[in-house]
Amino acid sequence: MKPARLLLLLSGCALLLAPAVRGCGPGRVVGSRRRPPRKLIPLAYKQFSPNVPEKTLGASGRYEGKIARNSERFKELTPNYNPDIIFKDEENTGADRLMTQRCKDRLNSLAISVMNQWPGVKLRVTEGWDEDGHHSEESLHYEGRAVDITTSDRDRNKYGMLARLAVEAGFDWVYYESKAHIHCSVKSEHSAAAKTGGCFPGRALATLENGARTPLWALRPGQRVLAMDGAGRPTYSDFLAFLDKEPRALTSFHVIETREPRRRLALTPTHLLFVAENASAPASLFRPTFASRVRPGHFVLVAVGSGGWQPAEVVGVRGRTDVGAYAPLTSHGTLVVDDVVASCFALVQEQQLAQLAFWPLRLYHSLVGWPGAQGDGVHWYSGLLYRLGRLLLPPDSFHPLGVPQAES
């Protein structure tokens, strides 16, 4: 590892381990003292996590159609030959071993957790991909996105904890469905729901210091864009890098619409937007809020021609899919997109914590200058911070759409 990257890594770790984090910008002061390892709580019988229906955006997403051996989508399934997993395979066809890559990754992670939790016990899969129509209509088993599991010793007293371990392993929906098994499922590989980071559409517009407007995909390091400072005032902030850059990803966005003045902002559900309950709140008291929690009647800050902010009432929230997703990072951790003030951050509803955690990256850029062309995908530093955060912060710190494993 290069010395500069090593220094950056250690700085980020130090910030996440700091006993207290204080900030002066919008949102509350954050105490981030280290906590003892959290106790895992077993799921209760008939409990599911997250607490939403399986085939919704907040869980495993919609059913996309049955996969047959002779269908084009059959190539989406991959066999799992993990020796630490017992496959019942009562059909003797190997069907239970077939699953999507996302499901396979979560299952393999769970197998390790099971062996750590109960030495000598293995994970057992009783149902995987179903090609024979044995499940209910539109079951995710038909797409290789669901498994039914037990422990190898079939000790039903372990099943509540087994369900909790499945949640921790990253399954998108876990259900203590039966006294005889736990049901787990995942999002589609190519589903818009599979993207959990915080982004805007690539064609959304930022405002440059010279007054020109540019699509987010065209931003270049060193350009200065309209943003909000810690006191809630307009400022121009250096664009540093993209925390996530997915030019071809089909992504699901929340569209926030306002009136007086009329504005329309699209952003992913996990992204932070500054929100207040009434129009009289000063800009510095608008709270960072997940886009999925914004409702009609809330107020957001919008840019107006005089060079300041104006509260605008939210009158509508709807969904939309679009191609391309970009998450710009600025020096101030905020930016104005399509004339609406937004955060650069997502997944954790703590603006100051996120801003301070990215201080080493800002320092790095100030010391070594601007990098060359940035590749697609999640920035390595933001991916690292996310994984550290999952270890150090309680699970309710994260948006429900966050997953335990972030790619970088």
Side-chain angles (χ1 to χ4, degrees):
M1 182 178 289
K2 294 181 179 179
R5 279 205 169 190
L6 180 60
L7 176 61
L8 189 55
L9 169 59
L10 294 175
S11 300
C13 293
L15 284 170
L16 281 176
L17 292 169
V21 178
R22 293 188 174 270
C24 59
R28 65 180 178 85
V29 172
V30 181
S32 61
R33 56 185 174 81
R34 290 194 68 180
R35 300 170 175 83
R38 57 190 176 87
K39 182 179 179 180
L40 295 179
I41 301 175
L43 265 64
Y45 179 55
K46 291 298 181 181
Q47 182 182 357
F48 44 86
S49 178
N51 190 28
V52 296
E54 180 180 29
K55 293 190 280 288
T56 60
L57 179 65
S60 293
R62 64 183 179 86
Y63 175 71
E64 297 185 352
K66 186 174 182 178
I67 296 179
R69 288 186 184 269
N70 60 356
S71 69
E72 175 67 21
R73 291 181 59 206
F74 185 69
K75 64 185 180 182
E76 296 177 15
L77 305 183
T78 181
N80 190 330
Y81 296 114
N82 189 335
D84 296 323
I85 302 174
I86 297 172
F87 291 87
K88 185 177 180 182
D89 194 21
E90 57 191 353
E91 300 89 353
N92 291 317
T93 62
D96 288 340
R97 292 183 180 271
L98 293 173
M99 58 196 68
T100 64
Q101 185 64 46
R102 186 179 182 87
C103 187
K104 180 178 178 179
D105 291 342
R106 273 52 177 177
L107 198 66
N108 289 343
S109 178
L110 176 58
I112 296 172
S113 298
V114 167
M115 292 188 296
N116 288 337
Q117 183 74 20
W118 302 293
V121 176
K122 289 187 177 183
L123 178 63
R124 175 172 174 260
V125 175
T126 61
E127 290 285 343
W129 174 57
D130 181 2
E131 60 180 331
D132 298 321
H134 293 158
H135 291 83
S136 61
E137 187 178 358
E138 296 192 354
S139 168
L140 298 186
H141 282 285
Y142 297 134
E143 296 184 65
R145 292 166 52 193
V147 289
D148 293 340
I149 59 173
T150 72
T151 53
S152 60
D153 60 1
R154 306 186 200 182
D155 180 356
R156 297 187 178 187
N157 293 322
K158 293 185 172 78
Y159 290 0
M161 181 57 74
L162 176 63
R164 173 55 62 190
L165 293 177
V167 173
E168 296 298 309
F171 279 97
D172 297 303
W173 198 71
V174 177
Y175 181 27
Y176 195 163
E177 181 178 32
S178 160
K179 293 288 188 180
H181 70 260
I182 305 299
H183 174 83
C184 310
S185 62
V186 298
K187 301 179 189 296
S188 165
E189 295 294 290
H190 51 79
S191 168
K195 186 168 184 59
T196 60
C199 298
F200 306 95
R203 59 183 176 178
L205 299 176
T207 302
L208 300 178
E209 193 168 21
N210 62 6
R213 288 157 67 85
T214 182
L216 297 184
W217 65 262
L219 283 175
R220 298 292 180 266
Q223 289 182 311
R224 291 170 59 80
V225 296
L226 184 60
M228 182 169 69
D229 68 14
R233 299 169 300 202
T235 189
Y236 285 94
S237 186
D238 289 329
F239 166 66
L240 303 177
F242 289 109
L243 300 182
D244 196 358
K245 179 184 176 186
E246 305 284 355
R248 292 170 292 279
L250 180 64
T251 306
S252 192
F253 294 100
H254 270 48
V255 180
I256 312 295
E257 297 180 336
T258 70
R259 65 182 174 198
E260 297 180 5
R262 297 182 67 87
R263 298 288 188 270
R264 183 178 297 154
L265 174 68
L267 68 174
T268 46
T270 62
H271 208 97
L272 294 179
L273 190 63
F274 296 106
V275 174
E277 297 287 338
N278 58 73
S280 61
S284 60
L285 294 183
F286 274 62
R287 302 283 179 148
T289 304
F290 291 129
S292 64
R293 296 177 182 170
V294 177
R295 299 288 183 265
H298 286 164
F299 289 83
V300 297
L301 292 171
V302 302
V304 291
S306 59
W309 311 135
Q310 178 179 324
E313 183 180 0
V314 175
V315 295
V317 180
R318 58 182 176 85
R320 188 185 90 195
T321 57
D322 207 339
V323 175
Y326 292 77
L329 175 67
T330 68
S331 295
H332 287 79
T334 64
L335 76 164
V336 174
V337 179
D338 288 334
D339 289 330
V340 181
V341 181
S343 170
C344 293
F345 307 119
L347 292 175
V348 178
Q349 197 166 285
E350 304 290 5
Q351 177 73 15
Q352 286 89 1
L353 177 60
Q355 176 69 349
L356 193 59
F358 278 94
W359 173 81
L361 186 62
R362 296 193 299 275
L363 176 64
Y364 174 80
H365 283 302
S366 69
L367 293 176
V368 305
W370 310 111
Q374 181 177 339
D376 296 345
V378 177
H379 193 286
W380 71 270
Y381 185 76
S382 56
L384 169 70
L385 286 183
Y386 181 70
R387 287 190 290 272
L388 286 173
R390 293 295 309 192
L391 295 174
L392 302 172
L393 300 176
D396 58 3
S397 299
F398 294 85
H399 190 283
L401 286 182
V403 292
Q405 295 170 335
E407 303 301 331
S408 66

